[in-house]
Amino acid sequence: GDSVTQMEGPVTLSEEAFLTINCTYTATGYPSLFWYVQYPGEGLQLLLKATKADDKGSNKGFEATYRKETTSFHLEKGSVQVSDSAVYFCALYQPDRDDKIIFGKGTRLHILP
Amino acid sequence: GAVVSQHPSRVICKSGTSVKIECRSLDFQATTMFWYRQFPKQSLMLMATSNEGSKATYEQGVEKDKFLINHASLTLSTLTVTSAHPEDSSFYICSALSRRDTQYFGPGTRLTVL
């Protein structure tokens, strides 16, 4: 079945460092891909999304490109801030297949000042 | 690993009836649970935050009298869709926050209102 695999955390970086959180997926068809962010004690918020191959989602300095050839949707940010400390979830959604959303296990990110 | 269950997984009801969805954390205590709604072809939307022993906090635009949330214990939260209408048809997902601030998702409940 469909699945999402994220790099395990926690990831600890210094402020202004470059961030990459890897996400790969297994799916048939043409899923939509999402990154969600969970700040401490809060629910998920949509960070960015891409609905077809080669699309690039971007928001708040974060970017991810839908790579069908490598089945990946890695999250990147050029210069992280302390306020980016959170848990990041990669997710796959098949709108034409039962509308279910499949999450990765989440990657906890700590940014040190 | 931690498991969150939802019941039922699918429900079909008539317009005007109420439907209750249960969310349980099976092997850990969750002081906080979240309820989300998945609209077709869209991203997940947070509906409310449910804290054990207190009233739920609803996101803007979510009718608290329509979507009743009860977090009766550290392992159970319920969402009741009252007087359901076809526009309430959706995929509802809960998640539970462990004491280590890790979020675990339920498998979701597909609600279809005829």
Side-chain angles (χ1 to χ4, degrees):
Chain A
D2 296 350
S3 66
V4 174
T5 303
Q6 283 180 244
M7 61 188 290
E8 290 192 20
V11 173
T12 302
L13 296 172
S14 297
E15 204 166 22
E16 298 183 3
F18 184 86
L19 168 71
T20 300
I21 300 178
N22 289 339
C23 171
T24 56
Y25 67 91
T26 302
T28 56
Y30 302 94
S32 296
L33 301 174
F34 301 84
W35 276 100
Y36 289 91
V37 58
Q38 177 210 350
Y39 296 103
E42 298 182 13
L44 291 184
Q45 299 176 28
L46 176 66
L47 182 58
L48 52 86
K49 68 177 182 180
T51 57
K52 61 182 187 298
D54 298 327
D55 269 3
K56 177 186 282 188
S58 61
N59 185 26
K60 299 181 180 180
F62 290 90
E63 292 183 340
T65 301
Y66 189 143
R67 303 276 188 207
K68 194 164 177 65
E69 64 276 14
T70 54
T71 62
S72 65
F73 193 55
H74 304 323
L75 182 68
E76 296 181 336
K77 186 173 185 181
S79 177
V80 292
Q81 305 300 314
V82 172
S83 57
D84 294 326
S85 298
V87 182
Y88 293 82
F89 290 89
C90 185
L92 173 159
Y93 171 56
Q94 294 267 35
D96 299 321
R97 291 179 58 189
D98 206 28
D99 277 337
K100 285 200 113 171
I101 187 164
I102 297 169
F103 290 96
K105 292 188 176 181
T107 303
R108 190 178 297 275
L109 175 66
H110 293 295
I111 305 300
L112 304 175
Chain B
V3 176
V4 173
S5 70
Q6 278 184 244
H7 178 79
S9 58
R10 290 179 179 271
V11 56
I12 301 172
C13 68
K14 292 183 179 180
S15 187
T17 61
S18 294
V19 174
K20 180 186 284 189
I21 302 169
E22 292 186 350
C23 176
R24 292 182 186 272
S25 56
L26 298 183
D27 53 0
F28 67 100
Q29 294 183 332
T31 54
T32 303
M33 290 185 173
F34 302 97
W35 285 96
Y36 300 91
R37 184 173 177 179
Q38 172 79 55
F39 288 97
K41 304 184 189 300
Q42 296 184 33
S43 62
L44 212 61
M45 182 194 83
L46 177 64
M47 298 176 67
T49 302
S50 166
N51 292 298
E52 187 265 339
S54 62
K55 290 184 179 180
T57 302
Y58 290 82
E59 295 299 301
Q60 192 171 10
V62 178
E63 299 175 61
K64 61 181 181 181
D65 295 328
K66 173 80 172 171
F67 299 99
L68 299 179
I69 292 172
N70 183 18
H71 195 152
S73 74
L74 287 172
T75 59
L76 173 64
S77 176
T78 60
L79 168 68
T80 301
V81 183
T82 61
S83 187
H85 291 282
E87 58 265 29
D88 299 324
S89 298
S90 194
F91 194 66
Y92 293 88
I93 300 173
C94 74
S95 69
L97 205 59
S98 73
R99 293 187 189 280
R100 302 179 76 175
D101 201 35
T102 300
Q103 188 163 189
Y104 299 96
F105 296 96
T109 297
R110 164 69 59 198
L111 170 63
T112 303
V113 184
L114 302 177

